[in-house]
PDB file of all heavy atoms in Angstrom:
ATOM      1  N   LEU A 228     -15.356  28.084 -24.362  1.00 95.00           N
ATOM      2  CA  LEU A 228     -15.612  28.891 -25.555  1.00 95.00           C
ATOM      3  C   LEU A 228     -16.055  28.042 -26.737  1.00 95.00           C
ATOM      4  O   LEU A 228     -15.597  26.913 -26.931  1.00 95.00           O
ATOM      5  CB  LEU A 228     -14.351  29.651 -25.968  1.00 95.00           C
ATOM      6  CG  LEU A 228     -13.840  30.761 -25.047  1.00 95.00           C
ATOM      7  CD1 LEU A 228     -12.547  31.340 -25.609  1.00 95.00           C
ATOM      8  CD2 LEU A 228     -14.879  31.849 -24.875  1.00 95.00           C
ATOM      9  N   THR A 229     -16.938  28.622 -27.553  1.00 96.00           N
ATOM     10  CA  THR A 229     -17.277  28.060 -28.860  1.00 96.00           C
ATOM     11  C   THR A 229     -17.387  29.216 -29.853  1.00 96.00           C
ATOM     12  O   THR A 229     -17.538  30.384 -29.458  1.00 96.00           O
ATOM     13  CB  THR A 229     -18.608  27.287 -28.836  1.00 96.00           C
ATOM     14  OG1 THR A 229     -19.652  28.144 -28.353  1.00 96.00           O
ATOM     15  CG2 THR A 229     -18.511  26.059 -27.955  1.00 96.00           C
ATOM     16  N   VAL A 230     -17.327  28.893 -31.158  1.00 97.00           N
ATOM     17  CA  VAL A 230     -17.450  29.907 -32.194  1.00 97.00           C
ATOM     18  C   VAL A 230     -18.301  29.341 -33.329  1.00 97.00           C
ATOM     19  O   VAL A 230     -18.247  28.137 -33.627  1.00 97.00           O
ATOM     20  CB  VAL A 230     -16.057  30.359 -32.700  1.00 97.00           C
ATOM     21  CG1 VAL A 230     -15.316  29.206 -33.364  1.00 97.00           C
ATOM     22  CG2 VAL A 230     -16.168  31.549 -33.639  1.00 97.00           C
ATOM     23  N   GLU A 231     -19.114  30.199 -33.964  1.00 97.00           N
ATOM     24  CA  GLU A 231     -19.980  29.738 -35.043  1.00 97.00           C
ATOM     25  C   GLU A 231     -20.429  30.922 -35.896  1.00 97.00           C
ATOM     26  O   GLU A 231     -20.245  32.085 -35.515  1.00 97.00           O
ATOM     27  CB  GLU A 231     -21.212  29.026 -34.469  1.00 97.00           C
ATOM     28  CG  GLU A 231     -22.072  29.915 -33.590  1.00 97.00           C
ATOM     29  CD  GLU A 231     -23.163  29.150 -32.864  1.00 97.00           C
ATOM     30  OE1 GLU A 231     -22.822  28.282 -32.034  1.00 97.00           O
ATOM     31  OE2 GLU A 231     -24.347  29.438 -33.122  1.00 97.00           O
ATOM     32  N   ARG A 232     -21.030  30.625 -37.044  1.00 97.00           N
ATOM     33  CA  ARG A 232     -21.700  31.628 -37.863  1.00 97.00           C
ATOM     34  C   ARG A 232     -23.187  31.585 -37.551  1.00 97.00           C
ATOM     35  O   ARG A 232     -23.752  30.530 -37.269  1.00 97.00           O
ATOM     36  CB  ARG A 232     -21.491  31.337 -39.359  1.00 97.00           C
ATOM     37  CG  ARG A 232     -20.132  31.710 -39.889  1.00 97.00           C
ATOM     38  CD  ARG A 232     -19.942  31.201 -41.309  1.00 97.00           C
ATOM     39  NE  ARG A 232     -20.743  31.896 -42.300  1.00 97.00           N
ATOM     40  CZ  ARG A 232     -20.300  32.898 -43.070  1.00 97.00           C
ATOM     41  NH1 ARG A 232     -19.059  33.337 -42.937  1.00 97.00           N
ATOM     42  NH2 ARG A 232     -21.077  33.456 -43.975  1.00 97.00           N
ATOM     43  N   SER A 233     -23.841  32.728 -37.586  1.00 98.00           N
ATOM     44  CA  SER A 233     -25.291  32.757 -37.412  1.00 98.00           C
ATOM     45  C   SER A 233     -25.949  32.073 -38.604  1.00 98.00           C
ATOM     46  O   SER A 233     -25.362  31.958 -39.687  1.00 98.00           O
ATOM     47  CB  SER A 233     -25.787  34.195 -37.284  1.00 98.00           C
ATOM     48  OG  SER A 233     -25.597  34.896 -38.509  1.00 98.00           O
ATOM     49  N   LYS A 234     -27.179  31.626 -38.401  1.00 97.00           N
ATOM     50  CA  LYS A 234     -27.882  30.961 -39.494  1.00 97.00           C
ATOM     51  C   LYS A 234     -28.089  31.913 -40.672  1.00 97.00           C
ATOM     52  O   LYS A 234     -28.093  31.485 -41.832  1.00 97.00           O
ATOM     53  CB  LYS A 234     -29.222  30.410 -39.006  1.00 97.00           C
ATOM     54  CG  LYS A 234     -29.953  29.581 -40.049  1.00 97.00           C
ATOM     55  CD  LYS A 234     -31.149  28.865 -39.477  1.00 97.00           C
ATOM     56  CE  LYS A 234     -31.867  28.054 -40.543  1.00 97.00           C
ATOM     57  NZ  LYS A 234     -32.995  27.284 -39.996  1.00 97.00           N
ATOM     58  N   SER A 235     -28.228  33.205 -40.380  1.00 97.00           N
ATOM     59  CA  SER A 235     -28.393  34.191 -41.445  1.00 97.00           C
ATOM     60  C   SER A 235     -27.113  34.395 -42.241  1.00 97.00           C
ATOM     61  O   SER A 235     -27.136  35.011 -43.311  1.00 97.00           O
ATOM     62  CB  SER A 235     -28.806  35.539 -40.843  1.00 97.00           C
ATOM     63  OG  SER A 235     -27.737  36.070 -40.053  1.00 97.00           O
ATOM     64  N   GLU A 236     -25.980  33.905 -41.704  1.00 97.00           N
ATOM     65  CA  GLU A 236     -24.645  34.053 -42.289  1.00 97.00           C
ATOM     66  C   GLU A 236     -24.175  35.509 -42.330  1.00 97.00           C
ATOM     67  O   GLU A 236     -23.239  35.852 -43.061  1.00 97.00           O
ATOM     68  CB  GLU A 236     -24.585  33.426 -43.697  1.00 97.00           C
ATOM     69  CG  GLU A 236     -25.043  31.981 -43.711  1.00 97.00           C
ATOM     70  CD  GLU A 236     -24.204  31.099 -44.615  1.00 97.00           C
ATOM     71  OE1 GLU A 236     -22.988  31.040 -44.401  1.00 97.00           O
ATOM     72  OE2 GLU A 236     -24.781  30.491 -45.518  1.00 97.00           O
ATOM     73  N   ARG A 237     -24.776  36.335 -41.508  1.00 97.00           N
ATOM     74  CA  ARG A 237     -24.364  37.732 -41.455  1.00 97.00           C
ATOM     75  C   ARG A 237     -23.496  38.043 -40.234  1.00 97.00           C
ATOM     76  O   ARG A 237     -22.872  39.107 -40.176  1.00 97.00           O
ATOM     77  CB  ARG A 237     -25.597  38.637 -41.463  1.00 97.00           C
ATOM     78  CG  ARG A 237     -26.255  38.722 -42.836  1.00 97.00           C
ATOM     79  CD  ARG A 237     -27.537  39.524 -42.804  1.00 97.00           C
ATOM     80  NE  ARG A 237     -27.332  40.865 -42.246  1.00 97.00           N
ATOM     81  CZ  ARG A 237     -28.345  41.699 -41.981  1.00 97.00           C
ATOM     82  NH1 ARG A 237     -29.596  41.326 -42.220  1.00 97.00           N
ATOM     83  NH2 ARG A 237     -28.108  42.893 -41.479  1.00 97.00           N
ATOM     84  N   TYR A 238     -23.462  37.114 -39.261  1.00 98.00           N
ATOM     85  CA  TYR A 238     -22.701  37.392 -38.049  1.00 98.00           C
ATOM     86  C   TYR A 238     -21.841  36.201 -37.639  1.00 98.00           C
ATOM     87  O   TYR A 238     -22.232  35.035 -37.835  1.00 98.00           O
ATOM     88  CB  TYR A 238     -23.642  37.756 -36.886  1.00 98.00           C
ATOM     89  CG  TYR A 238     -24.213  39.141 -37.016  1.00 98.00           C
ATOM     90  CD1 TYR A 238     -25.459  39.337 -37.617  1.00 98.00           C
ATOM     91  CD2 TYR A 238     -23.503  40.253 -36.580  1.00 98.00           C
ATOM     92  CE1 TYR A 238     -25.983  40.613 -37.772  1.00 98.00           C
ATOM     93  CE2 TYR A 238     -24.017  41.532 -36.724  1.00 98.00           C
ATOM     94  CZ  TYR A 238     -25.255  41.708 -37.322  1.00 98.00           C
ATOM     95  OH  TYR A 238     -25.753  42.976 -37.478  1.00 98.00           O
ATOM     96  N   LEU A 239     -20.676  36.528 -37.087  1.00 98.00           N
ATOM     97  CA  LEU A 239     -19.852  35.566 -36.368  1.00 98.00           C
ATOM     98  C   LEU A 239     -20.193  35.684 -34.891  1.00 98.00           C
ATOM     99  O   LEU A 239     -20.341  36.801 -34.367  1.00 98.00           O
ATOM    100  CB  LEU A 239     -18.371  35.850 -36.595  1.00 98.00           C
ATOM    101  CG  LEU A 239     -17.854  35.666 -38.021  1.00 98.00           C
ATOM    102  CD1 LEU A 239     -16.485  36.324 -38.169  1.00 98.00           C
ATOM    103  CD2 LEU A 239     -17.782  34.186 -38.372  1.00 98.00           C
ATOM    104  N   LEU A 240     -20.308  34.537 -34.222  1.00 98.00           N
ATOM    105  CA  LEU A 240     -20.740  34.515 -32.829  1.00 98.00           C
ATOM    106  C   LEU A 240     -19.731  33.757 -31.981  1.00 98.00           C
ATOM    107  O   LEU A 240     -19.302  32.654 -32.351  1.00 98.00           O
ATOM    108  CB  LEU A 240     -22.107  33.848 -32.706  1.00 98.00           C
ATOM    109  CG  LEU A 240     -23.248  34.480 -33.522  1.00 98.00           C
ATOM    110  CD1 LEU A 240     -24.476  33.572 -33.491  1.00 98.00           C
ATOM    111  CD2 LEU A 240     -23.592  35.863 -32.995  1.00 98.00           C
ATOM    112  N   ILE A 241     -19.347  34.346 -30.867  1.00 98.00           N
ATOM    113  CA  ILE A 241     -18.504  33.678 -29.874  1.00 98.00           C
ATOM    114  C   ILE A 241     -19.345  33.488 -28.618  1.00 98.00           C
ATOM    115  O   ILE A 241     -19.945  34.444 -28.113  1.00 98.00           O
ATOM    116  CB  ILE A 241     -17.252  34.504 -29.529  1.00 98.00           C
ATOM    117  CG1 ILE A 241     -16.326  34.623 -30.736  1.00 98.00           C
ATOM    118  CG2 ILE A 241     -16.498  33.885 -28.354  1.00 98.00           C
ATOM    119  CD1 ILE A 241     -15.145  35.568 -30.508  1.00 98.00           C
ATOM    120  N   ALA A 242     -19.387  32.272 -28.112  1.00 97.00           N
ATOM    121  CA  ALA A 242     -20.118  31.989 -26.872  1.00 97.00           C
ATOM    122  C   ALA A 242     -19.135  31.622 -25.771  1.00 97.00           C
ATOM    123  O   ALA A 242     -18.283  30.748 -25.957  1.00 97.00           O
ATOM    124  CB  ALA A 242     -21.106  30.846 -27.090  1.00 97.00           C
ATOM    125  N   SER A 243     -19.253  32.307 -24.632  1.00 96.00           N
ATOM    126  CA  SER A 243     -18.540  31.947 -23.408  1.00 96.00           C
ATOM    127  C   SER A 243     -19.591  31.397 -22.455  1.00 96.00           C
ATOM    128  O   SER A 243     -20.533  32.115 -22.093  1.00 96.00           O
ATOM    129  CB  SER A 243     -17.871  33.168 -22.773  1.00 96.00           C
ATOM    130  OG  SER A 243     -16.963  33.783 -23.649  1.00 96.00           O
TER     131      SER A 243
END
Side-chain angles (χ1 to χ4, degrees):
L228 292 177
T229 56
V230 64
E231 61 189 64
R232 283 172 70 97
S233 67
K234 186 170 180 177
S235 67
E236 306 220 57
R237 286 175 55 188
Y238 286 94
L239 294 165
L240 302 170
I241 294 173
S243 301

